[in-house]
Amino acid sequence: MTRVAVFPGSFDPMTNAHLDVARRASGLFDRLVVGVLNNPKKAPLFQIGDRVALIEASVADLGQHVSVDAFDGLTVDFARHHGAGFIVRGLRAVSDFEAELQMALTNRKLAPEIDTTFLMTALEYGYVSSSLTKEVARFGGDIGPMVPPPVAEALVRRMADGARV
Ligand code: PNS
């Protein structure tokens, strides 16, 4: 049986915490599709194509069974589209759990055949978030420990262009 999982998120941008979860999931599933939500209600720092490209560059060493795809609409529809039986989400701390439980139970109601799998982020990335990374980058702080190198370069370029976070 082929085990397929999707790992959905906003990824604006991908952090080392996300990458750590993708790496762990890539060892558990036969195929892993990182799903990048194209949410028209949010104004992201990175456009959808850039977010996909930065994740592709960051997960390149995880293997051919890991791919990246943009989606809009429901995560469960995206999962079904890829024939996935699992949704992967990362947990950094207990504070993540309440919202994640609500999402997982909503997704289960919508698609009982799909299970959400939570993976704990490595302790060293427990503090890392996309929004704080953008804030640190905006004020010229060192984001090297927080994001993969292609993302760090893109963030520095974006900030030099005068982007607002
Ligand atoms: O990286 P994020 O912002 O924490 O990811 C949240 C995401 C994209 C997983 C969540 O907002 C989502 O699944 N959105 C798609 C719409 C959907 O399926 N909503 C109902 C279930 S929560």
Side-chain angles (χ1 to χ4, degrees):
M1 192 171 73
T2 306
R3 288 187 183 273
V4 183
V6 294
F7 175 25
S10 305
F11 300 110
D12 185 41
M14 172 173 252
T15 66
N16 281 335
H18 293 131
L19 183 56
D20 181 64
V21 170
R23 178 167 283 117
R24 290 169 196 281
S26 74
L28 291 174
F29 297 100
D30 300 305
R31 219 152 47 75
L32 177 70
V33 185
V34 182
V36 189
L37 180 68
N38 190 14
N39 186 349
K41 276 198 251 158
K42 278 193 186 173
L45 178 65
F46 291 102
Q47 294 309 308
I48 189 75
D50 294 334
R51 281 181 277 154
V52 168
L54 288 173
I55 298 169
E56 280 173 343
S58 305
V59 302
D61 69 327
L62 298 187
Q64 295 280 326
H65 66 304
V66 180
S67 59
V68 188
D69 196 6
F71 76 103
D72 42 35
L74 292 175
T75 287
V76 292
D77 289 338
F78 176 70
R80 282 174 173 152
H81 172 76
H82 284 280
F86 301 90
I87 294 168
V88 170
R89 292 285 290 171
L91 291 177
R92 290 164 301 188
V94 173
S95 50
D96 285 337
F97 183 72
E98 207 168 333
E100 293 297 333
L101 178 66
Q102 196 174 15
M103 273 200 268
L105 293 179
T106 303
N107 285 330
R108 175 174 287 164
K109 187 55 93 180
L110 293 169
E113 79 282 12
I114 299 174
D115 261 312
T116 297
T117 311
F118 292 115
L119 293 175
M120 262 50 77
T121 315
L123 198 56
E124 64 192 292
Y125 304 128
Y127 70 97
V128 177
S129 73
S130 296
S131 52
L132 283 185
T133 302
K134 286 183 280 193
E135 190 170 301
V136 172
R138 175 160 163 62
F139 294 110
D142 180 15
I143 50 168
M146 302 172 198
V147 289
V151 175
E153 285 162 29
L155 267 173
V156 169
R157 271 201 310 273
R158 211 62 192 79
M159 294 306 154
D161 291 345
R164 309 202 108 235
V165 185

